[in-house]
Amino acid sequence: MTYGMLIDLKKCVGCHACSVACKEAHGTRPGVRRSRVDRVFEGTYPDVRKTAYPMLCMHCETAPCVEVCPQDATYKREDGIVVIDKGVIVANEKTEDLINAVEGSRRLIAKIVGPEDEVLKLWQGLGYYSRARNLRAAAREVVERFGGVFPRSLDDVRSLRGVGDYTAAAICSAAYDAPCAVVDGNVYRVLSRLFDLAEPIDTTAGKRAFACLAQSQLDAAHPGRYNQAIMDFGAIQCTPASPRCEACPLSESCLALAAGTVADRPVKRGKTRVRDRWFNYLHVASGDRVLLHRREGRDIWQGLYEFPLIETDAPVEFPDLAALPQFRRLLGDGPWHLVRSVSLPRHQLSHQRLHAVVHRIETPAFTPAAAAMAVPADSLGDYAVPRLVDRYLMQAGSDDSSF
């Protein structure tokens, strides 16, 4: 007979106290084979089969992990540890809590691997939309390539869509205590000042040199704790501007402080130029329908929806905009009426400044080409749109309920 430790995800705060206790007691962290979980749930709770592995541990009867949880997220044996006898769950009064937790996990996974439009809608307003697309793609890879179990090795984690060296090292060190050093902006800053390194951090050679240096400094016995500490140190103590060198515990060994080069570290070969872009949106309505299209290509906001857009190299007055071929192709030769033009606040992205104007236009009927983009006006809230467009919609909705 084997006893399983259950984790209530609604209570769990991810402190890993249970995992540490398990490792101290057994020399290894909790884990379970996917095939074992399949056999356990087969024919018993088919709706949660293959989704319980994150919450089931099969090491011992004593379950020391349950004693150390500060959130009471792990169940003690007498309060509901599920007993597995010959591959069959012996249910008790707390088993329903497991089912609820697993079902919630299943619904979350279903959303992540669901249609891209739905994922982007959930992500709306957070920015960096490529991360949402990569998250969805990586989740699908975990299901398809790794049987629904998140990989543990650095190379496998690194192979997931959107996961780079930093993210892979952070995951493996924090979750699995793998001896992988992270290198982010904070780490670059701390190491470049501590060792007074003039190697540019935005070159291939520089990135390789700092990765090797970070790995050499890693506390292999506590990699997750070390990585978090050096990142926090850079964010709180060794800050980009006005670092608190006078109160720094590493001041005596800081070579940049001794050389007077703290303000010059880290070194970058060149700064990314911030460019200005001018967006002219056409909010075209006919009756209760408006025009909306999905952004494609490799530009910003890929996969999000917006009004038809005419981008220009500089600000343009509406009469000049209406004379452009793109405008005429959209509205044709039929009648249309400009209701108003709304200049939106400048929208700052990482390396772009967006200057946007929305022109509200009404027309009796759409051209055949435009009709293919028409959607009900009252369904605009169902589409994932850029924050810039979302702000306009909120403002337009408050000004005029018939927008």
Side-chain angles (χ1 to χ4, degrees):
M1 183 176 293
T2 306
Y3 295 86
M5 180 272 290
L6 309 182
I7 299 176
D8 184 346
L9 296 184
K10 295 180 181 179
K11 296 180 181 179
C12 178
V13 295
C15 67
H16 302 295
C18 58
S19 182
V20 173
C22 184
K23 185 175 182 180
E24 291 177 350
H26 311 296
T28 181
R29 292 189 179 277
V32 61
R33 296 190 305 274
R34 164 101 180 264
S35 59
R36 179 64 177 275
V37 175
D38 287 352
R39 292 200 303 271
V40 167
F41 283 96
E42 182 75 51
T44 307
Y45 297 105
D47 290 340
V48 300
R49 189 168 65 88
K50 299 183 181 180
T51 60
Y53 56 83
M55 285 156 281
L56 202 53
C57 159
M58 316 250 184
H59 277 323
C60 68
E61 180 176 347
T62 56
C65 48
V66 301
E67 303 291 342
V68 298
C69 179
Q71 300 294 323
D72 292 327
T74 55
Y75 296 129
K76 297 182 180 180
R77 177 183 177 186
E78 61 271 19
D79 290 337
I81 280 207
V82 169
V83 179
I84 313 236
D85 188 3
K86 296 180 180 178
V88 178
I89 289 183
V90 181
N92 55 33
E93 67 276 9
K94 287 292 185 179
T95 305
E96 187 63 28
D97 291 341
L98 167 67
I99 303 304
N100 292 336
V102 171
E103 188 64 16
S105 177
R106 185 191 66 78
R107 287 194 296 269
L108 176 61
I109 293 174
K111 280 188 177 294
I112 293 176
V113 300
E116 183 176 291
D117 283 355
E118 182 177 350
V119 174
L120 291 175
K121 179 61 179 176
L122 293 171
W123 195 272
Q124 181 174 301
L126 298 178
Y128 298 98
Y129 289 94
S130 61
R131 295 180 180 177
R133 293 190 295 272
N134 289 337
L135 176 64
R136 174 177 176 269
R140 295 173 72 92
E141 289 182 31
V142 169
V143 173
E144 295 167 2
R145 293 172 49 203
F146 300 100
V149 181
F150 196 87
R152 299 178 68 94
S153 75
L154 180 67
D155 289 340
D156 285 343
V157 174
R158 181 66 179 81
S159 72
L160 296 175
R161 172 79 173 272
V163 177
D165 294 334
Y166 161 72
T167 303
I171 291 173
C172 290
S173 63
Y176 310 131
D177 263 351
C180 309
V182 300
V183 184
D184 72 343
N186 292 308
V187 176
Y188 276 125
R189 188 164 55 255
V190 171
L191 293 181
S192 66
R193 288 173 174 173
L194 189 61
F195 293 92
D196 194 24
L197 299 177
E199 186 75 39
I201 64 174
D202 53 352
T203 64
T204 301
K207 292 177 180 178
R208 186 182 302 114
F210 274 93
C212 293
L213 176 60
Q215 191 66 34
S216 71
Q217 300 299 306
L218 181 70
D219 179 359
H222 307 93
R225 186 180 302 175
Y226 171 87
N227 283 334
Q228 189 62 59
I230 191 172
M231 288 189 292
D232 286 347
F233 186 81
I236 299 172
Q237 180 73 35
C238 194
T239 54
S242 303
R244 298 187 298 144
C245 297
E246 71 284 352
C248 180
L250 301 179
S251 60
E252 294 185 1
S253 55
C254 180
L255 299 183
L257 181 61
T261 57
V262 170
D264 301 325
R265 305 288 182 259
V267 174
K268 288 187 177 181
R269 183 173 55 181
K271 293 184 178 180
T272 303
R273 183 177 64 89
V274 177
R275 66 184 179 115
D276 291 279
R277 301 177 69 178
W278 285 267
F279 285 7
N280 305 277
Y281 283 115
L282 303 180
H283 179 181
V284 184
S286 179
D288 60 353
R289 298 177 70 79
V290 298
L291 300 185
L292 199 69
H293 84 106
R294 193 172 189 263
R295 290 183 66 92
E296 304 293 348
R298 300 182 60 84
D299 200 356
I300 59 173
W301 303 333
Q302 179 185 344
L304 300 188
Y305 290 83
E306 64 183 1
F307 299 122
L309 170 66
I310 299 177
E311 183 173 356
T312 54
D313 295 331
V316 60
E317 296 296 329
F318 182 78
D320 297 324
L321 183 72
L324 294 177
Q326 304 98 300
F327 188 98
R328 297 181 61 84
R329 281 197 299 267
L330 182 69
L331 292 172
D333 296 325
W336 52 264
H337 169 63
L338 175 64
V339 178
R340 61 175 174 263
S341 297
V342 179
S343 296
L344 302 180
R346 187 180 66 184
H347 193 72
Q348 184 71 51
L349 302 178
S350 299
H351 304 121
Q352 300 181 31
R353 281 187 297 264
L354 306 184
H355 310 269
V357 179
V358 182
H359 302 286
R360 173 74 158 81
I361 299 171
E362 291 183 352
T363 182
F366 295 129
T367 63
M373 295 186 287
V375 301
D378 59 6
S379 70
L380 284 176
D382 298 333
Y383 293 88
V385 298
R387 181 59 176 157
L388 180 68
V389 175
D390 186 47
R391 286 174 175 166
Y392 164 76
L393 291 176
M394 290 190 296
Q395 176 183 341
S398 62
D399 293 343
D400 181 2
S401 61
S402 64
F403 75 93

